[in-house]
Amino acid sequence: MQFTHPDIVVTKDGSHTLVNTDNQQLYHSHGGAIQESKHVFIKHNLQNWLDNPPEGSINVLELGFGSGLNAYLTRLEAEKHNVDVNYHSVELYPVHPDVAARLNYPVELNDSDTNRFLEIHTCKWNCQERLSDNFSINKVYGDFLEQDFPTDHYHSFYYHAFAVKAQPELWSNQVIDRMYHALRPGGILTTFSATGQLGRSLRARGYRHEKPSGVGGKREITRAIK
Ligand SMILES: C[S@@+](CC[C@H](N)C(=O)[O-])C[C@H]1O[C@@H](n2cnc3c(N)ncnc32)[C@H](O)[C@@H]1O
């Protein structure tokens, strides 16, 4: 397994993000990494299941583990609300744990137990790891496009690829269709991107498409419900 060493930069809310050294893509909005992730993936996605916990676990699927910020925020929420989350994240270019150890997320989130973030990075890949009573994670090393996903399984899909210009293949109808199968009825897809093309593709596939307002200088984001 080959790790990458992306650069770290500070975003406008004071939290770090990473920059891919090959394509210069930021992992989060320059307007604020923590602010964006909380808004797109927690407030407009996970929160629905925290408010209406399903029987058993909340199953979350993520495209791109990257900095681990979304997994960390999800873990913090799961532990705060005492619900169980099974987190499944796929990553083709894993970040080296030494880089992750320099990210300021635990400090910015006032988490005195920095280990809650670090162990998300240092736990094993390609197997289900239970990190607490409320959070287990399966980080899969591989290409998202080559994975098989169970049908009607996930409550939440965190669609967190790089921008469409950088990776158009990850925004194709094929992905949108496969996620429709993988989500359970009522399952929620959210992403920072809000292109007209994405909205049309989601509606054509049968999702209920919403465009909540964005944060950090972005006008809108995308929320789609199966
Ligand atoms: C916008 S970043 C978001 C990462 C992460 N969710 C975070 O909060 O840091 C996109 C991520 O997708 C990963 N990625 C790119 N192509 C991929 C592919 N084909 N399959 C899986 N992950 C991929 C990148 O390496 C990067 O970590």
Side-chain angles (χ1 to χ4, degrees), residues 50-224:
L50 297 174
D51 292 341
N52 312 283
E55 262 184 45
S57 308
I58 301 171
N59 299 322
V60 177
L61 174 64
E62 175 178 51
L63 193 173
F65 176 72
S67 67
L69 175 58
N70 297 333
Y72 180 44
L73 289 171
T74 301
R75 176 179 183 174
L76 294 179
E77 291 298 325
E79 291 174 1
K80 185 165 111 191
H81 289 82
N82 193 24
V83 297
D84 189 43
V85 171
N86 274 328
Y87 201 91
H88 180 180
S89 188
V90 182
E91 176 58 64
L92 189 52
Y93 310 106
V95 172
H96 197 285
D98 289 350
V99 176
R102 288 167 40 223
L103 291 169
N104 67 0
Y105 300 141
V107 175
E108 290 296 310
L109 292 162
N110 295 316
D111 186 4
S112 52
D113 182 2
T114 52
N115 206 37
R116 287 207 284 186
F117 176 59
L118 293 181
E119 68 184 355
I120 288 175
H121 277 276
T122 54
C123 71
K124 281 194 203 132
W125 287 79
N126 302 318
C127 65
Q128 190 79 18
E129 288 269 82
R130 177 155 286 282
L131 302 185
S132 74
D133 285 349
N134 302 105
F135 189 77
S136 64
I137 185 164
N138 184 6
K139 299 180 295 184
V140 174
Y141 174 43
D143 188 339
F144 191 85
L145 298 173
E146 290 173 6
Q147 307 298 308
D148 286 327
F149 299 109
T151 301
D152 290 344
H153 181 68
Y154 298 98
H155 298 88
S156 296
F157 174 46
Y158 296 176
Y159 198 175
H160 205 183
F162 287 129
V164 67
K165 276 188 194 150
Q167 287 198 297
E169 71 281 7
L170 291 177
W171 298 94
S172 65
N173 284 338
Q174 185 209 351
V175 172
I176 287 166
D177 184 53
R178 292 188 62 213
M179 289 307 97
Y180 194 86
H181 286 290
L183 283 167
R184 60 180 57 212
I188 302 169
L189 168 162
T190 47
T191 181
F192 63 90
S193 178
T195 64
Q197 182 55 54
L198 176 61
R200 284 189 291 280
S201 301
L202 289 165
R203 290 192 296 276
R205 182 58 191 86
Y207 291 87
R208 194 170 89 228
H209 173 220
E210 300 173 352
K211 291 198 283 184
S213 56
V215 280
K218 288 202 177 147
R219 208 157 49 91
E220 290 170 337
I221 64 165
T222 294
R223 185 172 196 258

